[in-house]
Amino acid sequence: MTNINFIQAQVNTNPRNIEATLKLLNEDCTIPFISRYRKDQTGNLDEVQIENIAKLSKQFAEIEKRKESILKTIEEQGQLSPELKSKIEKSFDLQEIEDLYLPYKKKKKTRADVARENGLEPLAKLILSQRNDDVDFLATQYINKNIGNEDEALQGARDIVAEWINENIAVRQSLRRLYTRKAIIEVKVVKKKAEEEAAQKFSQYFDWAEPLNKAPSHRLLAMLRAENEGFVKVKIEIDLEETYDLIDGIIIKNSNSPSISHVQLAIEDSYKRLLHPAISNETLQEAKTKADAKAIDVFAGNLGQLLLAPPLGEKRILAIDPGFRSGCKIVCLDEKGDLLYNETIYPHQPQNETSMAMKKIKSMVNAYNIEAISIGNGTASRETEFFIKKIPFDKPVQVFVVSEAGASVYSASKIARDEFPNYDVTVRGSVSIGRRLSDPLAELVKIDAKSIGVGQYQHDVDQTKLKEELDSVVVRCVNSVGININTASKSLLSYVSGIGEKTAENIVAYRSEIGSFEDRKQLKRVPRLGDKAYQQAAAFIRIKEGKNPLDNSAVHPEAYSIVEKMAKDLKISVNDLIANKEKIALIKPENYLNETIGILGIKDILKELEKPGLDPRKAAKVFEFDPNVKTIKDVRTGMILPGIVNNITAFGCFVDIGVKESGLVHISQLKAGFVSDVNEVVKLHQHVQVKVVEVDEDRKRIQLTMVL
């Protein structure tokens, strides 16, 4: 099987598209570049499909490498028969390959190894052959200095048979299928831990059992977390009678043989001592892998929505990190997000310097020509919002409440220290709150995605896979929007197609030394940014008011000559062609094809010329909570309240209704009728109307419904 055959068996894509995609990947083209600028070669595959092909290609290489290692090991043992070699070479199922390798795998000395050393393998073969030999009598022939009697001989022989049964591929595969269909996960509390306060959040699992294949990902991860924290014991069980019947059907060939009782004893021993521990662990790990994938998928989806949240744009912003005793930390930022001024005010208890705080805010708004106010949604957020809205400003000022999740992580990070070496963490945190209003994407890329708080059980899943997926999401989002090279931070630049951390650093250094970029070609002057990096990166950067108007669009420099020819054929300038829908409508795409850019590429160029540099994100909207609801004590059953979706999970979504505790809308309460995917109904940061179903003040839980 070739790499392309292997991939095609798992994705519904033409082999030519797979081959073209692999060729581009092998030429060090990035996924954003391939999906956007090589559509004609790949058959219009999107980023997710290309990522999948890249992953499967890597998986194929890993399987081939593992097979090579296994074949070498078995050959060195002198045990590699042509038949075994053929089976391993033809298989691309890692589990099957490992099963084939199992008898030759180096392991600690087993009971079967000891029995073989004592010369009992011929007796084991007699037992397993199930002929009509009297094995009880024949066992007396195997008594020696290490084997004291026939019972010891038979026990040793059964140990060898048990190991053979364990290594039987048909047995293992059949058991796997049975466990996949019928395994039960059982959870029991560790009694001495049951009363601990930390254990109470897992109390529903203190005596729990359900079919493993029916356990939702979030529930399985919760059970496994409870076990990891020492509060419960988890085990996988299956019907013993059905299991023995299955193994009997494969192993027993002659139920009338005198040796049948020994075969059955070996089957029971093999299952209890070898097969069940191995297969149950495999089955649980497989279920965990699927649960991880689901949780990672949910987290990645949420992160993508968060990164592409509506930006306010280049506005002068006053940002507030609210607080009571420690005061509200204020910063004023210019259109580029640069810090102009910072101060602390104390409008709340215990100081109650409300009047003075109002005067200071009003003065700052006027002095720095503030257009919007960004308030973090943490402690004292609602009180600060009410306080701000009482101030009689001399001009309209929009007031937004933004998520401050991860702001404290950013404020203590090296990135923040490098940006603001002369300011403390409180000022840096306030700056982050302001910047994530003007451009959430540009600010959130500076924070470890796991700290943003939009996932479920993110610390319990495979951390390598989580990081890979989240990094892919960030790259996808950054390149779908494009970045202003003259204002982008090093963090943001490092996610641009073809630009890594070191090159991003060089771009920032070049910008500091030379000044603003005036055209894309200047990128080539950046140290260590070669032709390949330029090809991959150029179209994803934007230069506003530069020398060439196409530099502020998603048109790739390799296509500039095509656009110039289009304009020339229409007898107008490129400037006059841009955003001129009437003229663009006259262009026939088929007249401008070349070896690199086909019909799909030309259509993309025309679409981009209609709305060059269009930000795919929506505009930011002001949102207002119910002014009468400030804490959980104000929430009453039956209330209908405005809210913002602030987290999405596989089992529902959490909605911020303006109190410290977010309320849960279970998936069954999102709308009338069945819902299979929460994202079909709601998106992160969506403004929704919810009805309060239940309030539990003691446990700080609020149940909501969107079925009004």
Side-chain angles (χ1 to χ4, degrees):
M1 184 184 282
T2 66
N3 194 354
I4 292 169
N5 297 143
F6 176 78
I7 295 167
Q8 195 194 5
Q10 299 176 72
V11 297
N12 185 24
T13 305
N14 188 302
R16 287 196 302 274
N17 298 340
I18 297 170
E19 188 176 4
T21 301
L22 291 174
K23 183 174 182 291
L24 289 162
L25 288 167
N26 290 335
E27 290 170 358
D28 291 328
C29 292
T30 66
I31 291 172
F33 174 81
I34 296 169
S35 66
R36 182 73 173 81
Y37 298 106
R38 292 295 181 263
K39 288 181 178 181
D40 293 283
Q41 285 93 318
T42 68
N44 204 18
L45 297 181
D46 63 26
E47 283 177 305
V48 175
Q49 290 170 306
I50 295 168
E51 280 172 14
N52 197 21
I53 288 171
K55 285 176 187 172
L56 288 169
S57 179
K58 184 181 175 184
Q59 190 180 323
F60 178 85
E62 287 170 354
I63 291 172
E64 287 284 76
K65 188 177 178 182
R66 180 63 180 149
K67 282 161 55 170
E68 195 179 306
S69 170
I70 286 171
L71 287 167
K72 186 181 177 184
T73 302
I74 300 173
E75 192 168 29
E76 285 171 353
Q77 294 174 13
Q79 305 266 359
L80 188 61
S81 66
E83 185 188 4
L84 178 59
K85 184 180 181 183
S86 175
K87 281 181 181 176
I88 292 172
E89 284 178 340
K90 285 179 181 175
S91 178
F92 281 86
D93 179 338
L94 259 182
Q95 220 162 41
E96 183 182 49
I97 293 164
E98 294 297 340
D99 282 348
L100 288 165
Y101 177 47
L102 188 61
Y104 312 96
K105 202 171 188 176
K106 289 179 181 176
K107 46 189 177 277
K108 291 178 183 176
K109 186 179 268 192
T110 64
R111 282 163 44 174
D113 289 334
V114 173
R116 285 190 191 93
E117 288 171 4
N118 291 328
L120 295 172
E121 189 163 358
L123 182 58
K125 286 179 178 176
L126 280 173
I127 290 172
L128 191 59
S129 70
Q130 300 166 51
R131 297 203 302 261
N132 292 320
D133 304 275
D134 185 350
V135 291
D136 288 11
F137 170 73
L138 292 172
T140 57
Q141 298 174 20
Y142 292 88
I143 296 170
N144 55 41
K145 62 178 181 178
N146 296 319
I147 305 295
N149 54 51
E150 64 184 68
D151 286 339
E152 286 184 18
L154 289 165
Q155 178 59 60
R158 289 197 300 267
D159 286 342
I160 297 171
V161 174
E163 190 169 272
W164 286 338
I165 294 168
N166 176 55
E167 292 168 353
N168 185 298
I169 290 178
V171 169
R172 294 180 78 87
Q173 289 180 340
S174 299
L175 276 179
R176 282 192 191 105
R177 288 194 289 270
L178 180 65
Y179 274 64
T180 300
R181 287 185 292 113
K182 296 190 175 182
I184 302 294
I185 184 167
E186 290 187 359
V187 188
K188 297 289 182 188
V189 68
V190 176
K191 288 182 180 176
K192 63 180 181 180
K193 295 268 196 176
E195 301 305 317
E196 289 185 20
E197 188 179 342
Q200 296 314 302
K201 61 185 174 183
F202 302 114
S203 58
Q204 74 182 92
Y205 305 116
F206 283 0
D207 187 13
W208 184 271
E210 68 176 311
L212 182 60
N213 64 1
K214 295 279 195 275
S217 64
H218 61 275
R219 198 149 67 217
L220 177 60
L221 291 171
M223 294 180 220
L224 295 176
R225 179 187 286 182
E227 183 179 48
N228 287 338
E229 294 183 13
F231 301 123
V232 301
K233 291 286 184 187
V234 173
K235 63 178 179 177
I236 300 298
E237 291 296 347
I238 200 148
D239 184 75
L240 263 181
E241 191 175 335
E242 189 172 0
T243 304
Y244 287 144
D245 285 347
L246 184 149
I247 302 173
D248 287 353
I250 297 168
I251 299 300
I252 294 178
K253 307 300 180 189
N254 178 9
S255 56
N256 296 317
S257 167
S259 65
I260 197 66
S261 61
H262 296 293
V263 174
Q264 286 173 326
L265 284 171
I267 287 172
E268 288 181 25
D269 175 46
S270 180
Y271 176 70
K272 289 177 181 174
R273 181 167 57 87
L274 303 171
L275 285 164
H276 177 64
I279 304 295
S280 63
N281 185 56
E282 269 184 28
T283 306
L284 184 57
Q285 286 308 309
E286 180 67 25
K288 165 75 163 56
T289 299
K290 288 178 181 174
D292 281 4
K294 179 68 176 173
I296 290 169
D297 188 48
V298 168
F299 198 160
N302 287 352
L303 179 63
Q305 291 176 35
L306 192 64
L307 292 174
L308 295 177
L312 187 62
E314 294 181 358
K315 306 283 186 185
R316 288 185 160 242
I317 293 170
L318 183 146
I320 307 174
D321 185 357
F324 288 117
R325 183 177 295 277
S326 59
C328 296
K329 310 299 184 295
I330 313 289
V331 296
C332 296
L333 308 175
D334 68 12
E335 295 89 346
K336 293 182 179 180
D338 291 335
L339 178 60
L340 301 171
Y341 181 77
N342 71 280
E343 188 169 337
T344 303
I345 59 172
Y346 301 90
H348 310 308
Q349 295 177 351
Q351 294 91 341
N352 289 318
E353 296 174 0
T354 309
S355 179
M356 184 186 296
M358 278 187 172
K359 286 178 184 175
K360 286 184 176 180
I361 292 286
K362 189 172 182 180
S363 172
M364 283 185 269
V365 166
N366 291 333
Y368 297 101
N369 198 22
I370 296 298
E371 299 165 88
I373 294 175
S374 177
I375 304 169
N377 69 342
T379 304
S381 174
R382 294 301 307 282
E383 291 80 358
T384 304
E385 182 190 358
F386 292 133
F387 155 72
I388 290 294
K389 286 182 175 177
K390 287 178 186 173
I391 301 174
F393 294 115
D394 298 332
K395 61 173 185 176
V397 178
Q398 290 181 298
V399 179
F400 297 84
V401 175
V402 302
S403 169
E404 59 181 48
S408 58
V409 175
Y410 161 77
S411 64
S413 69
K414 184 180 183 300
I415 294 172
R417 291 196 301 275
D418 290 345
E419 282 191 294
F420 301 103
N422 301 321
Y423 295 93
D424 66 16
V425 291
T426 61
V427 174
R428 297 175 199 149
S430 301
V431 170
S432 183
I433 288 167
R435 285 177 171 177
R436 62 177 65 186
L437 171 61
S438 62
D439 192 341
L441 178 61
E443 192 60 22
L444 290 171
V445 294
K446 300 174 187 175
I447 302 167
D448 177 6
K450 284 188 292 184
S451 304
I452 299 173
V454 289
Q456 60 179 49
Y457 298 101
Q458 60 259 42
H459 300 291
D460 301 285
V461 302
D462 184 310
Q463 296 300 293
T464 302
K465 288 181 180 174
L466 176 64
K467 186 177 187 313
E468 284 176 1
E469 189 60 36
L470 297 186
D471 282 349
S472 293
V473 170
V474 178
V475 167
R476 209 178 300 151
C477 291
V478 169
N479 290 286
S480 70
V481 172
I483 60 106
N484 183 339
I485 196 167
N486 288 321
T487 59
S489 67
K490 184 180 80 174
S491 304
L492 187 59
L493 280 164
S494 67
Y495 286 104
V496 173
S497 165
I499 296 176
E501 200 172 320
K502 185 62 185 170
T503 308
E505 207 172 278
N506 292 344
I507 290 171
V508 172
Y510 179 88
R511 194 172 67 194
S512 300
E513 184 183 342
I514 307 299
S516 296
F517 284 82
E518 294 181 349
D519 63 39
R520 283 171 168 168
K521 285 184 287 189
Q522 272 183 273
L523 269 174
K524 292 183 177 181
R525 298 179 199 162
V526 173
R528 299 179 69 180
L529 199 156
D531 289 342
K532 191 70 184 181
Y534 176 77
Q535 180 202 43
Q536 302 300 303
F540 297 103
I541 67 153
R542 305 284 181 268
I543 298 174
K544 295 187 177 181
E545 299 171 4
K547 291 178 180 177
N548 189 331
L550 293 175
D551 284 351
N552 192 32
S553 75
V555 177
H556 197 285
E558 68 185 7
Y560 283 6
S561 59
I562 292 175
V563 177
E564 286 161 5
K565 187 173 188 307
M566 289 173 176
K568 187 180 178 183
D569 291 348
L570 291 166
K571 296 182 171 56
I572 57 175
S573 68
V574 170
N575 256 333
D576 291 336
L577 177 60
I578 290 173
N580 189 334
K581 288 189 178 182
E582 289 180 10
K583 293 291 185 183
I584 292 167
L586 299 173
I587 296 171
K588 293 182 178 178
E590 58 272 18
N591 293 343
Y592 299 95
L593 310 182
N594 64 27
E595 288 182 6
T596 306
I597 304 171
I599 195 75
L600 296 173
I602 299 296
K603 285 181 177 178
D604 271 356
I605 290 168
L606 295 177
K607 202 182 296 178
E608 183 63 21
L609 288 174
E610 282 187 15
K611 296 177 180 178
L614 178 69
D615 193 322
R617 298 171 291 179
K618 294 177 181 176
K621 290 180 184 175
V622 173
F623 174 85
E624 292 189 3
F625 292 112
D626 188 314
N628 300 311
V629 176
K630 301 172 188 175
T631 70
I632 195 169
K633 294 181 184 297
D634 301 322
V635 182
R636 298 280 179 270
T637 303
M639 279 183 166
I640 294 177
L641 301 169
I644 300 177
V645 177
N646 63 358
N647 199 2
I648 292 175
T649 68
F651 54 86
C653 69
F654 287 91
V655 176
D656 183 356
I657 56 172
V659 300
K660 191 176 180 182
E661 297 77 17
S662 292
L664 171 65
V665 181
H666 189 266
I667 190 169
S668 62
Q669 296 298 311
L670 289 169
K671 69 173 187 178
F674 176 74
V675 176
S676 61
D677 181 1
V678 180
N679 279 288
E680 291 174 3
V681 185
V682 293
K683 299 295 180 190
L684 215 57
H685 283 176
Q686 184 176 327
H687 299 177
V688 294
Q689 288 281 110
V690 292
K691 184 178 181 180
V692 180
V693 176
E694 185 183 337
V695 184
D696 186 338
E697 276 191 51
D698 294 335
R699 298 172 74 192
K700 296 182 178 177
R701 291 186 178 177
I702 303 169
Q703 293 287 336
L704 305 169
T705 181
M706 285 171 55
V707 184
L708 305 180

Coordinates of all heavy atoms in Angstrom, one line a residue, residues 93 95-97 99 168-180 246 250 279:
D93 N -2.7 -1.8 10.2 CA -3.5 -1.7 11.4 C -2.4 -1.9 12.5 O -1.9 -3.0 12.7 CB -4.6 -2.7 11.5 CG -5.4 -2.6 12.8 OD1 -4.9 -2.1 13.8 OD2 -6.5 -3.1 12.8
Q95 N -2.6 -2.1 15.7 CA -3.0 -3.0 16.7 C -2.7 -4.5 16.2 O -2.1 -5.3 16.9 CB -4.4 -2.9 17.1 CG -4.7 -3.0 18.5 CD -6.1 -2.4 18.9 OE1 -7.0 -2.6 18.2 NE2 -6.1 -1.8 20.0
E96 N -3.0 -4.7 15.0 CA -2.8 -6.0 14.4 C -1.3 -6.3 14.2 O -0.8 -7.4 14.5 CB -3.4 -6.1 13.0 CG -3.3 -7.5 12.3 CD -3.9 -7.5 10.9 OE1 -3.6 -6.6 10.1 OE2 -4.6 -8.5 10.7
I97 N -0.5 -5.3 13.9 CA 0.9 -5.4 13.8 C 1.5 -5.7 15.1 O 2.4 -6.6 15.2 CB 1.5 -4.1 13.2 CG1 1.1 -3.9 11.7 CG2 3.1 -4.1 13.3 CD1 1.3 -2.5 11.2
D99 N 0.0 -7.2 17.6 CA -0.5 -8.6 17.9 C 0.5 -9.6 17.2 O 0.8 -10.6 17.8 CB -1.9 -8.8 17.4 CG -2.9 -8.2 18.4 OD1 -2.6 -7.8 19.5 OD2 -4.1 -8.1 18.0
N168 N -3.0 -15.4 20.5 CA -3.8 -15.7 19.4 C -4.5 -14.5 18.8 O -5.3 -13.9 19.5 CB -4.8 -16.8 19.8 CG -5.6 -17.3 18.6 OD1 -6.3 -16.6 17.9 ND2 -5.5 -18.6 18.3
I169 N -4.2 -14.1 17.6 CA -4.7 -12.9 17.0 C -6.3 -12.9 16.9 O -6.9 -11.9 17.1 CB -4.1 -12.6 15.6 CG1 -2.6 -12.2 15.8 CG2 -4.8 -11.5 14.8 CD1 -1.9 -12.0 14.5
A170 N -6.8 -14.1 16.5 CA -8.3 -14.2 16.3 C -9.0 -13.9 17.7 O -10.0 -13.3 17.8 CB -8.6 -15.6 15.8
V171 N -8.4 -14.5 18.8 CA -8.9 -14.3 20.1 C -8.9 -12.8 20.5 O -9.9 -12.3 20.9 CB -8.2 -15.2 21.1 CG1 -8.5 -14.7 22.6 CG2 -8.4 -16.6 20.9
R172 N -7.7 -12.2 20.3 CA -7.6 -10.8 20.7 C -8.5 -9.9 19.9 O -9.2 -9.0 20.5 CB -6.1 -10.4 20.6 CG -5.2 -11.1 21.5 CD -3.8 -10.6 21.3 NE -3.5 -9.3 22.0 CZ -3.1 -9.2 23.2 NH1 -3.0 -10.2 24.0 NH2 -2.9 -8.0 23.7
Q173 N -8.6 -10.1 18.6 CA -9.5 -9.3 17.8 C -10.9 -9.5 18.1 O -11.7 -8.5 18.2 CB -9.2 -9.6 16.3 CG -7.9 -9.0 15.8 CD -7.6 -9.3 14.3 OE1 -8.2 -10.2 13.7 NE2 -6.7 -8.6 13.7
S174 N -11.3 -10.7 18.3 CA -12.8 -11.0 18.7 C -13.1 -10.4 20.1 O -14.2 -9.8 20.2 CB -13.0 -12.5 18.7 OG -12.8 -13.1 17.5
L175 N -12.2 -10.5 21.0 CA -12.4 -9.9 22.3 C -12.5 -8.4 22.2 O -13.3 -7.7 22.9 CB -11.3 -10.3 23.3 CG -11.4 -11.6 24.0 CD1 -10.2 -11.8 24.9 CD2 -12.7 -11.7 24.8
R176 N -11.6 -7.8 21.4 CA -11.7 -6.3 21.3 C -13.1 -5.9 20.8 O -13.6 -4.9 21.2 CB -10.6 -5.8 20.3 CG -9.2 -5.8 20.9 CD -8.3 -5.0 20.0 NE -6.9 -5.2 20.4 CZ -6.0 -6.0 19.9 NH1 -6.3 -6.7 18.8 NH2 -4.8 -6.2 20.4
R177 N -13.6 -6.6 19.8 CA -14.9 -6.3 19.2 C -16.0 -6.4 20.3 O -16.9 -5.6 20.4 CB -15.2 -7.1 18.0 CG -14.4 -6.8 16.8 CD -15.0 -7.5 15.5 NE -14.8 -8.9 15.5 CZ -13.7 -9.5 15.0 NH1 -12.7 -8.8 14.4 NH2 -13.6 -10.8 15.0
L178 N -15.9 -7.5 21.1 CA -16.8 -7.7 22.2 C -16.8 -6.6 23.2 O -17.8 -6.0 23.6 CB -16.6 -9.1 22.8 CG -17.5 -9.4 24.0 CD1 -19.0 -9.6 23.4 CD2 -17.1 -10.7 24.7
Y179 N -15.6 -6.2 23.6 CA -15.4 -5.2 24.6 C -15.9 -3.8 24.1 O -16.6 -3.1 24.8 CB -13.9 -5.0 25.0 CG -13.5 -6.0 26.1 CD1 -13.5 -7.3 25.9 CD2 -13.1 -5.5 27.3 CE1 -13.1 -8.2 26.9 CE2 -12.6 -6.3 28.3 CZ -12.6 -7.7 28.1 OH -12.2 -8.5 29.1
T180 N -15.6 -3.6 22.8 CA -16.1 -2.3 22.2 C -17.6 -2.2 22.2 O -18.2 -1.1 22.5 CB -15.6 -2.2 20.7 OG1 -14.2 -2.3 20.7 CG2 -16.1 -0.9 20.1
L246 N -17.0 -17.1 23.6 CA -16.3 -16.6 22.4 C -14.9 -17.2 22.3 O -14.5 -17.7 21.2 CB -16.1 -15.1 22.6 CG -15.5 -14.3 21.4 CD1 -16.1 -12.9 21.4 CD2 -14.0 -14.2 21.6
I250 N -13.2 -20.3 19.4 CA -11.9 -20.2 18.6 C -10.9 -21.3 19.0 O -10.3 -21.8 18.1 CB -11.3 -18.8 18.8 CG1 -12.3 -17.7 18.3 CG2 -10.0 -18.7 18.1 CD1 -11.9 -16.3 18.8
I279 N -6.8 -6.3 27.4 CA -7.9 -5.8 26.5 C -8.7 -4.7 27.2 O -9.2 -3.8 26.6 CB -8.8 -7.0 26.0 CG1 -7.9 -8.0 25.3 CG2 -9.8 -6.5 25.0 CD1 -7.2 -7.6 24.0

